[in-house]
Amino acid sequence: EIVLTQSPDSQSVTPKERVTITCRASQSIGRSLHWYQQKPGQSPKLLIKYASQSFSGVPSRFSGRGSGTDFTLTINSLEVEDAATYYCHQSDSFPRTFGQGTTVEIK
Amino acid sequence: QVQLVESGGGVVQPGRSLRLSCQASGFNFRTYAMHWVRQIPGKGLEWVAVITFDGDNKFYADSVKGRFIISRDNSNNTLFLQLNSLKTDDTALYYCARDLGGADHWGQGTLVTVSA
């Protein structure tokens, strides 16, 4: 099973700051890594697919990069509405797995 | 637009069974693989199972293998998850999601509570 480890577990950030979340895979997964945003009481929403492809309708301040075992999600100029938990997810092999989540709070 | 609506959750005793459904609309259901993902309230996401577009291939998380069965009815645009031999650890909100490599659309979830 591929283990995805996110860091940090949580982050408290001022609006307009840049946020970077990392996701490390226990073995190489190519670019089969996706990022989701989940706000309290809501279902997860896809932000980035295949490491760096923005999903339709996602604001341009969200971007992803990486390949192999190391991936990052960046939120440029954080907005208040970005307060949420972010998850990475691999589709390289079964069983599919998720990272443990990173909670972004607004200062 | 794409809609996924789960149903079938409820309170059930350990060892009993439950069948979840996910009604899909707004897209060509029969051409997409579909997932079940669960989430203990307040905790992270756990992938449960996936079924290919034609139902020919199914994969499961180790935690549910041999107890849960994923299936689909492409004629009625419905995805199912049969939960057998339920344990208290299976208590969670169960989401269905459409596969696009990642999961690009999710339902609102149906809550399963396993309690004596």
Side-chain angles (χ1 to χ4, degrees), chain A residues 13-35:
Chain A
V13 187
T14 302
K16 292 190 169 49
E17 271 191 69
R18 172 182 292 180
V19 174
T20 299
I21 300 169
T22 67
C23 178
R24 176 162 288 175
S26 58
Q27 62 191 73
S28 179
I29 57 172
R31 297 178 62 82
S32 298
L33 191 284
H34 318 285
W35 290 98

Side-chain angles (χ1 to χ4, degrees), chain A residues 1 34 36 38 41-46 49-50 55 87 89 91 94-100, chain B residues 35 37 39 43-47 50 59-61 95 99-108:
Chain A
E1 171 176 316
H34 318 285
Y36 303 88
Q38 187 179 33
Q42 296 185 15
S43 307
K45 290 183 168 54
L46 180 65
K49 56 180 180 169
Y50 294 108
F55 185 59
Y87 295 93
H89 167 225
S91 62
F94 294 107
R96 300 281 188 92
T97 47
F98 288 89
Q100 80 276 17
Chain B
H35 298 271
V37 176
Q39 184 172 37
K43 302 296 184 185
L45 299 170
E46 180 187 14
W47 178 80
V50 67
F59 299 90
Y60 299 92
Y95 295 103
D99 181 78
L100 196 71
D104 69 338
H105 286 88
W106 299 62
Q108 288 303 304

Side-chain angles (χ1 to χ4, degrees), chain B residues 83-104:
Chain B
L83 289 64
N84 298 321
S85 303
L86 280 160
K87 307 175 182 179
T88 54
D89 287 351
D90 296 319
T91 294
L93 186 62
Y94 285 74
Y95 295 103
C96 65
R98 189 177 81 166
D99 181 78
L100 196 71
D104 69 338

